[in-house]
Amino acid sequence: MTISLTNASITSVVLCGGSGTRLWPLSRKSLPKQFVPLVGGKSLLALTLERAALVGPHALVVASEDHRFLVQECVESADANAASTILLEPVARNTAAAMAWAALNVAPQDLLLFLPADHHIPDAHAFADTVRHGLAAAHGGAIVTFGVQPSFPSTAYGYIQQGEALGGDPHARAVRRFIEKPQADRAQAMLLEGGHFWNAGVFLCRADVLLAGLEAHASDIAQSCRAAFATQTSDGDFRRIDATAFAACRSESIDYALMEHAAQTAGAVAVVPFTGGWSDVGSWNAVAELSPADAQGNRIHGQGFVVSASNTYVHAPHRPVVALGTDNLLIVDTADALLVASSAQAEGVKSVVALLEKAGIPQAQHHRRVARPWGAYDSIDAGERFQVKRIVVKPGASLSLQKHHHRAEHWIVVRGTAQVTNGDDTLLLTENQSTYIPVGQVHRLANPGKVPLEIIEVQSGAYLGEDDIVRLEDAYGRGT
């Protein structure tokens, strides 16, 4: 259901560029936290899109080119009747450039609601009501930020200090200043003083106001984005810009590029308080709080079991994981990596990922399961000269017409119906049927049915790398 926000036309801009390494091993470079199903089987991005649909009929999603199919999958899974256009960044350039590019894609007077893709707000309707409270100030030319009412003296968030009221607006007040992440004593003092809010990085403003602000305070970013925008092309729901032009843009957050400067001008930046629940899901402690606690403070997700334990979080979606006699522990199990950490050390996970990357551990960045535009594959087992994958193909989808120089493949259908091109032959395979693809044979796998197709693929050969693919035809624009 869409909440009426007077006659305002609001386009939500979902900023989807984070890497999410603080939630390793669940979140990795190839699958950042905004794409991981963390809440009720849904991803944070899908939930953000559902919130966006409450305030307007259209959304722009700014994401990495590398994640285009993950974004598309989340857009399709979101329970939202809003159209989404996906802006694909060829290289990451932080939030100032992402927001400028989005602003160039709408009319100057359009209102833009900028939303991080990886936040959790349980009461989406209360959030939509709060957005409505910022309309008057945004229409009047202010950049409106939505400050979260702090529930404890956090040292992990930046703060917004409110100033005087804006004219007769009963909801918005001027921003006096933005405050960096404080020390504990300063955070406690701000909480007791009142008038300070957590900076959630959510903004509402007219497109022309944002661009004018960047021209005034970060003109190089504005000019670089305009130059890159001139190269924009469209491909269905995807929009792309030239990589060289966009890479020339300075990488800077919107806070440093614009907000801190604009706040020095009276009335240029306003704050509207949000009193509902909010989390940036920025650590495993924050994820743990999404699950209910038992009498001993334990929280369980999936197949976790605790015995004589307290204040222990167990994330076990794939297999039984038992915590015996533990206290203040985080246990996160995935198909190919395990994290056991003290709750007090949750903020150190990011440094662990850097250590694993330096050691060349592939699990630092990549999951076993890999998303593809046609579905996904999971690398079940591998050894010298063989690899086993579980492949899932969406209904109506197909892989590219391809061949391999170094490997042969055996396909066994375990669910659904497969349409197989094998050299000059085309055949239909159903459950428990199989086929063999020799080295160098041109082949294709397609799902003509109404349910997902699942096959087991056994590869054998001297080289099994993913780059041993010669694509002859591809419906998804990938290179041959």
Side-chain angles (χ1 to χ4, degrees):
M1 181 182 71
T2 299
I3 293 176
S4 174
L5 301 176
T6 69
N7 295 319
S9 173
I10 298 179
T11 297
S12 294
V13 180
V14 181
L15 303 173
C16 197
S19 59
T21 53
R22 289 181 293 175
L23 295 188
W24 186 89
L26 192 62
S27 172
R28 308 183 195 181
K29 183 179 179 180
S30 63
L31 187 71
K33 70 172 180 177
Q34 58 267 29
F35 302 112
V36 176
L38 278 175
V39 182
K42 292 186 177 182
S43 69
L44 295 173
L45 173 56
L47 292 172
T48 302
L49 290 168
E50 290 173 10
R51 285 198 303 277
L54 296 176
V55 300
H58 188 259
L60 296 172
V61 182
V62 187
S64 167
E65 175 77 35
D66 293 339
H67 299 145
R68 62 194 183 279
F69 302 124
L70 291 171
V71 175
Q72 192 172 45
E73 188 176 82
C74 286
V75 167
E76 292 171 355
S77 68
D79 183 17
N81 296 319
S84 297
T85 300
I86 303 168
L87 310 184
L88 295 174
E89 293 180 305
V91 61
R93 282 296 177 263
N94 217 312
T95 52
M99 291 168 69
W101 183 20
L104 291 166
N105 272 275
V106 300
Q109 297 294 313
D110 281 0
L111 287 176
L112 297 175
L113 176 65
F114 294 96
L115 301 168
D118 56 356
H119 291 182
H120 178 50
I121 300 175
D123 192 340
H125 290 276
F127 175 76
D129 281 336
T130 302
V131 171
R132 180 175 56 204
H133 294 161
L135 281 174
H139 273 303
I143 300 175
V144 179
T145 181
F146 297 90
V148 176
Q149 183 70 48
S151 54
F152 65 96
S154 173
T155 60
Y157 304 138
Y159 285 73
I160 304 165
Q161 183 181 16
Q162 71 178 16
E164 67 280 358
L166 289 180
D169 194 323
H171 303 291
R173 300 178 72 94
V175 169
R176 180 169 294 172
R177 60 172 174 155
F178 291 93
I179 301 166
E180 290 289 328
K181 297 176 183 178
Q183 297 295 322
D185 57 345
R186 178 61 180 139
Q188 181 68 48
M190 287 189 291
L191 191 66
L192 293 173
E193 180 183 342
H196 292 80
F197 304 94
W198 289 337
N199 185 358
V202 178
F203 306 99
L204 176 69
C205 65
R206 297 199 320 251
D208 59 346
V209 169
L210 178 78
L211 292 171
L214 287 171
E215 290 283 5
H217 301 292
S219 60
D220 60 319
I221 293 177
Q223 292 166 15
S224 294
C225 287
R226 289 187 188 278
F229 177 69
T231 71
Q232 180 171 286
T233 59
S234 296
D235 174 18
D237 292 332
F238 295 127
R239 294 181 186 176
R240 294 179 170 88
I241 48 180
D242 179 72
T244 302
F246 195 63
C249 183
R250 172 163 57 96
S251 180
E252 188 67 275
S253 73
I254 196 66
D255 299 286
Y256 289 130
L258 174 57
M259 296 303 168
E260 292 186 352
H261 301 290
Q264 298 174 19
T265 301
V269 184
V271 59
V272 173
F274 175 61
T275 59
W278 169 86
S279 172
D280 70 344
V281 200
S283 71
W284 276 113
N285 285 332
V287 174
E289 290 175 359
L290 299 178
S291 300
D294 66 14
Q296 288 72 44
N298 300 304
R299 301 172 188 268
I300 306 298
H301 175 85
Q303 302 180 57
F305 296 88
V306 289
V307 180
S308 300
S310 59
N311 303 311
T312 293
Y313 173 66
V314 183
H315 179 94
H318 301 291
R319 56 186 172 181
V321 174
V322 180
L324 174 61
T326 59
D327 181 43
N328 290 313
L329 274 190
L330 300 165
I331 303 172
V332 183
D333 187 42
T334 67
D336 60 352
L338 171 67
L339 171 71
V340 180
S342 165
S343 300
Q345 297 295 319
E347 297 296 334
V349 173
K350 187 174 182 179
S351 62
V352 172
V353 175
L355 179 68
L356 294 176
E357 289 177 344
K358 186 176 181 180
I361 305 299
Q363 288 91 336
Q365 295 189 354
H366 303 290
H367 275 280
R368 271 184 18 177
R369 183 185 183 277
V370 178
R372 287 290 185 259
W374 40 261
Y377 69 81
D378 183 5
S379 297
I380 299 171
D381 195 10
E384 187 176 355
R385 298 183 63 88
F386 83 91
Q387 184 167 220
V388 182
K389 292 181 177 180
R390 174 177 173 268
I391 296 176
V392 180
V393 185
K394 300 174 184 177
S398 66
L399 283 67
S400 60
L401 185 68
Q402 59 184 246
K403 64 180 180 179
H404 311 292
H405 291 305
H406 302 287
R407 72 175 186 248
E409 296 174 345
H410 294 259
W411 293 347
I412 303 145
V413 178
V414 296
R415 182 189 181 199
T417 300
Q419 179 177 302
V420 177
T421 299
N422 191 348
D424 294 329
D425 298 327
T426 299
L427 57 154
L428 287 176
L429 301 179
T430 56
E431 292 180 14
N432 299 317
Q433 294 184 321
S434 63
T435 190
Y436 168 66
I437 312 292
V439 174
Q441 181 88 294
V442 174
H443 60 278
R444 169 179 270 160
L445 176 65
N447 180 2
K450 301 295 184 182
V451 299
L453 163 67
E454 297 183 26
I455 73 165
I456 299 299
E457 176 183 85
V458 181
Q459 302 175 358
S460 60
Y463 179 73
L464 304 173
E466 284 302 308
D467 54 349
D468 180 25
I469 298 178
V470 179
R471 292 190 176 96
L472 307 175
E473 294 177 10
D474 185 55
Y476 308 105
R478 295 171 296 176
T480 56

